[in-house]
Amino acid sequence: MFLIIGYVVILAAALGTYAVHGSLLALWVPLEYVAIIGLTIGYFIASNSIGVIKATVGAVPGILKGSKFTKAYYIDALAMLFEILGKVRKEGLMSIESDIENPDASPIFSKYPGLVHDHHVMEFVTDYLRMMVGGNLNTVEIESLMDVELETHHHEAAEPGHVVANIAGSVPAFGIVVAVMGVVNVMGSVGSPPAVLGKMIGGALVGTFLGILIAYGFVEPVAKLLEQKAHEDAKIYQMIKMVLLASMSGYAPQVAVEFGRKTLNSHSRPSFRELEEDLKSRKGK
């Protein structure tokens, strides 16, 4: 929503102020639009692998959606971990074997459909719970393994943002290329009347204008939003990591989930009281 509002403000500021003293029709040079868009698409295809291209194309629509990482989402995640670790504490590690092998059918995990349907999150949780069930764990080694896995995940999640940022950096150069092509065309018409040459030169400069406006007004904001999405996505894994490591270190579930709660960003972090009251209310159900 804010992206659209921002685009409207950018267009109003750029075109509205120009329209006060000039004709907007002078900016309508269709072939220059086609050239810049074609050069940009060509750069995107030539500079990325098919996997990165698919990931970027798939990630861009997500910036128009609201974030799923709300306070309610994190409360559900902490409650789910609290329940599963509480079961381990009461009944032993082997009691959760069926839960982690089939989360969809688990009496605990199935209470949290928003999390169960997130394949990456559930895979992260169940993989490390499976390792807990499998035998004695060296917490330091498990933490190192988690860090490596999270680094890989975060690198992949951040890739679309980096790709779009690179595109934003290249578009002004493509605008210059288009402008130079227009100047070359002008040089071939030097004998034309000044009014004709002026229109041709103005049309050539539209390429530079378009390149800069598209890059910093339209493409760069998308790159920033993708980067923000990637950072936001990282928090749920950091939170899960802290809860599981605290549990592996011998802390009670109530304390372990507090470790995780403290890792969250302040604007989406539930307070200690909110989490405590939620866990109490779930016990009564």
Side-chain angles (χ1 to χ4, degrees):
M1 182 62 181
F2 286 105
L3 178 65
I4 304 301
I5 294 173
Y7 281 169
V8 171
V9 173
I10 288 168
L11 287 173
L15 302 183
T17 53
Y18 174 81
V20 172
H21 56 76
S23 172
L24 290 176
L25 287 175
L27 301 177
W28 180 243
V29 188
L31 289 179
E32 297 205 0
Y33 287 82
V34 172
I36 290 176
I37 293 172
L39 287 166
T40 302
I41 293 173
Y43 172 83
F44 173 56
I45 294 172
S47 60
N48 297 289
S49 67
I50 185 65
V52 173
I53 290 172
K54 288 181 178 179
T56 304
V57 171
V60 169
I63 64 175
L64 298 175
K65 301 176 183 177
S67 174
K68 69 178 180 180
F69 298 107
T70 61
K71 185 181 291 188
Y73 179 90
Y74 287 124
I75 288 177
D76 278 350
L78 289 166
M80 182 185 75
L81 292 169
F82 175 80
E83 282 199 59
I84 199 73
L85 294 177
K87 184 176 180 180
V88 168
R89 197 169 185 85
K90 290 178 182 178
E91 303 175 25
L93 280 167
M94 297 306 296
S95 66
I96 64 169
E97 189 171 14
S98 60
D99 294 290
I100 58 181
E101 292 303 329
N102 189 4
D104 291 329
S106 165
I108 294 177
F109 290 139
S110 60
K111 295 179 186 178
Y112 307 93
L115 290 159
V116 171
H117 294 154
D118 191 324
H119 170 72
H120 294 294
V121 168
M122 286 308 301
E123 187 176 75
F124 187 78
V125 172
T126 55
D127 279 354
Y128 287 100
L129 288 174
R130 190 176 291 109
M131 294 174 72
M132 291 171 65
V133 172
N136 294 327
L137 297 176
N138 182 314
T139 307
V140 175
E141 292 178 354
I142 294 299
E143 183 175 8
S144 297
L145 179 59
M146 285 180 169
D147 288 339
V148 171
E149 182 176 355
L150 291 181
E151 183 181 358
T152 301
H153 174 80
H154 300 338
H155 174 77
E156 292 175 350
E159 194 67 34
H162 295 325
V163 168
V164 177
N166 289 336
I167 291 173
S170 69
V171 175
F174 294 145
I176 294 173
V177 169
V178 172
V180 170
M181 291 165 60
V183 171
V184 170
N185 186 40
V186 170
M187 297 305 291
S189 305
V190 171
S192 301
V196 175
L197 287 176
K199 184 176 181 180
M200 294 177 69
I201 293 171
L205 292 176
V206 168
T208 303
F209 162 76
L210 285 177
I212 296 172
L213 178 63
I214 291 172
Y216 300 112
F218 292 88
V219 182
E220 186 71 19
V222 172
K224 293 295 184 184
L225 287 173
L226 287 172
E227 290 173 6
Q228 291 169 20
K229 287 280 187 182
H231 288 307
E232 192 177 46
D233 180 66
K235 273 298 167 188
I236 184 66
Y237 297 97
Q238 293 172 355
M239 184 268 286
I240 293 168
K241 168 190 166 184
M242 291 305 299
V243 172
L244 294 181
L245 286 176
S247 178
M248 293 176 198
S249 298
Y251 290 99
Q254 295 91 333
V255 179
V257 295
E258 181 63 14
F259 273 61
R261 187 186 70 83
K262 298 295 283 184
T263 67
L264 301 174
N265 294 321
S266 58
H267 62 83
S268 55
R269 180 200 305 159
S271 68
F272 175 83
R273 185 66 60 192
E274 285 175 320
L275 180 59
E276 183 180 45
E277 290 177 355
D278 183 84
L279 294 177
K280 286 180 179 179
S281 68
R282 292 175 193 266
K283 282 183 180 179
K285 293 180 181 179

